Amino acid sequence: GAVVSQHPSWVICKSGTSVKIECRSLDFQATTMFWYRQFPKQSLMLMATSNEGSKATYEQGVEKDKFLINHASLTLSTLTVTSAHPEDSSFYICSALVGGHRQPQHFGDGTRLSIL
Amino acid sequence: GDSVTQMEGPVTLSEEAFLTINCTYTATGYPSLFWYVQYPGEGLQLLLKATKADDKGSNKGFEATYRKETTSFHLEKGSVQVSDSAVYFCALSELAGNKLTFGGGTRVLVKP
């Protein structure tokens, strides 16, 4: 149980295009979803917290107009990287939470984004 | 603010060796503690958790005990396998915002 599906797993695109990443909780309804960014050999950096039907809460230093988050339902959140540039290349990981802070977050397998 | 500190890697071991990864934390409240494992090119998988003092989390031969007095949550395994090669993250979660605060990760390499 508690499976989170993230799609696509790998995307390569040209500079200036927008890329959408989907995060779905397959067998549960998520209270909250989170988006992280991970640089090579580094830890995860929280980008934003997303609740269904409300605006995402972005961490300090994360551009909300650059990284658009939509949380349309209790099982789906999307991250759109708008007008992507090479510096946006990274590994993006989503997670989903049902319940409070004593429950674990369940992670997707990540999306490797490469901007040429 | 909250923080998690874990030993830097890489940690290189031979198969069947004993593994310890130290993790200490600072938190303003009473956090829940987690260990996650990340295999190459993948997301994170929950390894184990503990939600109150003296709780011991265990899974797949790994163990960690929530030590409030020393603010620690060290991960141990008695006999590692090559398949345990991965990056291990210690993390805490507090009531406010349900966010996870991660340590820097420890890369473990087990050689046959």
Side-chain angles (χ1 to χ4, degrees):
Chain A
V3 177
V4 175
S5 173
Q6 190 172 337
H7 178 80
S9 56
W10 195 300
V11 59
I12 301 173
C13 61
K14 293 182 179 180
S15 184
T17 58
S18 294
V19 178
K20 180 184 284 189
I21 303 170
E22 288 189 353
C23 180
R24 293 180 184 272
S25 56
L26 296 186
D27 51 0
F28 65 100
Q29 293 186 324
T31 313
T32 309
M33 287 185 168
F34 303 85
W35 287 96
Y36 297 86
R37 184 171 179 177
Q38 185 179 31
F39 292 100
K41 297 186 178 181
Q42 293 189 24
S43 190
L44 280 71
M45 180 190 77
L46 179 65
M47 299 175 67
T49 303
S50 171
N51 291 290
E52 184 260 343
S54 60
K55 289 184 178 180
T57 303
Y58 290 82
E59 295 299 302
Q60 193 171 9
V62 177
E63 300 174 61
K64 62 178 70 174
D65 295 331
K66 175 74 166 175
F67 299 100
L68 299 179
I69 292 172
N70 182 273
H71 197 150
S73 75
L74 287 171
T75 59
L76 174 63
S77 177
T78 60
L79 168 68
T80 301
V81 183
T82 62
S83 187
H85 289 92
E87 58 267 27
D88 299 322
S89 298
S90 193
F91 193 55
Y92 293 88
I93 307 176
C94 73
S95 71
L97 175 69
V98 56
H101 77 290
R102 300 196 184 282
Q103 300 304 316
Q105 292 182 19
H106 303 285
F107 287 81
D109 279 341
T111 297
R112 184 158 305 284
L113 174 62
S114 296
I115 309 298
L116 304 177
Chain B
D2 297 346
S3 67
V4 176
T5 302
Q6 59 183 107
M7 57 190 291
E8 289 190 24
V11 174
T12 303
L13 303 165
S14 296
E15 210 165 19
E16 299 184 2
F18 186 88
L19 170 68
T20 299
I21 304 176
N22 290 338
C23 171
T24 57
Y25 67 91
T26 59
T28 52
Y30 199 145
S32 294
L33 303 175
F34 305 88
W35 276 100
Y36 284 89
V37 58
Q38 185 178 34
Y39 298 100
E42 297 183 9
L44 274 66
Q45 300 176 24
L46 175 69
L47 187 57
L48 51 84
K49 70 170 187 174
T51 59
K52 61 182 189 296
D54 300 324
D55 265 2
K56 177 186 281 188
S58 61
N59 185 27
K60 299 180 181 179
F62 290 90
E63 292 183 341
T65 300
Y66 191 143
R67 300 290 187 199
K68 197 168 189 293
E69 65 276 14
T70 54
T71 61
S72 65
F73 193 52
H74 304 321
L75 182 69
E76 296 181 337
K77 185 174 184 181
S79 177
V80 294
Q81 305 300 312
V82 172
S83 57
D84 293 325
S85 298
V87 180
Y88 293 82
F89 291 96
C90 184
L92 69 81
S93 177
E94 289 224 74
L95 179 60
N98 297 323
K99 300 181 199 179
L100 279 174
T101 300
F102 284 95
T106 302
R107 186 174 301 274
V108 173
L109 177 60
V110 181
K111 296 186 174 180

